[in-house]
């Protein structure tokens, strides 16, 4: 939550997802905690789906939340 609050002034929307870590929260649960950000918050499915939604408008994609999530996105991007 603190990461989203810090980044909120600099982003147009938030897309929530769930990485494969056993302690990861469900995207809908994360989205419910962010409703007061005054930004569109969209819960997505798997990381692959969330990344496609995030890339759809052609802007910069910021990945935040956990190192597990960042690692999954890096792998999908071929890094």
């Amino acid at each position: 939550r603190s990461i989203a609050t810090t980044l909120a002034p600099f982003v147009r929307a938030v897309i929530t997802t769930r990485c494969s870590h056993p302690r990861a929260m469900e995207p809908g649960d994360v989205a419910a905690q962010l409703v007061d950000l005054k930004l569109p918050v969209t819960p997505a499915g798997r990381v692959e789906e969330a990344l496609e939604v995030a890339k759809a408008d052609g802007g910069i994609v910021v990945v935040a939340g956990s190192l597990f999530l960042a690692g999954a996105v890096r792998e999908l991007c071929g890094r």
Side-chain angles (χ1 to χ4, degrees), residues 36-76:
D36 63 334
L37 289 182
K38 301 194 178 22
L39 287 169
V41 178
T42 305
R46 300 181 341 243
V47 175
E48 295 86 353
E49 296 167 17
L51 184 58
E52 289 305 313
V53 171
K55 290 169 38 178
D57 75 355
I60 296 172
V61 175
V62 177
V63 178
S66 77
L67 291 177
F68 296 102
L69 177 59
V73 172
R74 283 180 55 93
E75 186 175 306
L76 289 170

Side-chain angles (χ1 to χ4, degrees), residues 1-14:
R1 173 150 177 78
S2 64
I3 293 170
T5 302
T6 301
L7 292 174
F10 307 103
V11 300
R12 291 186 294 239
V14 175

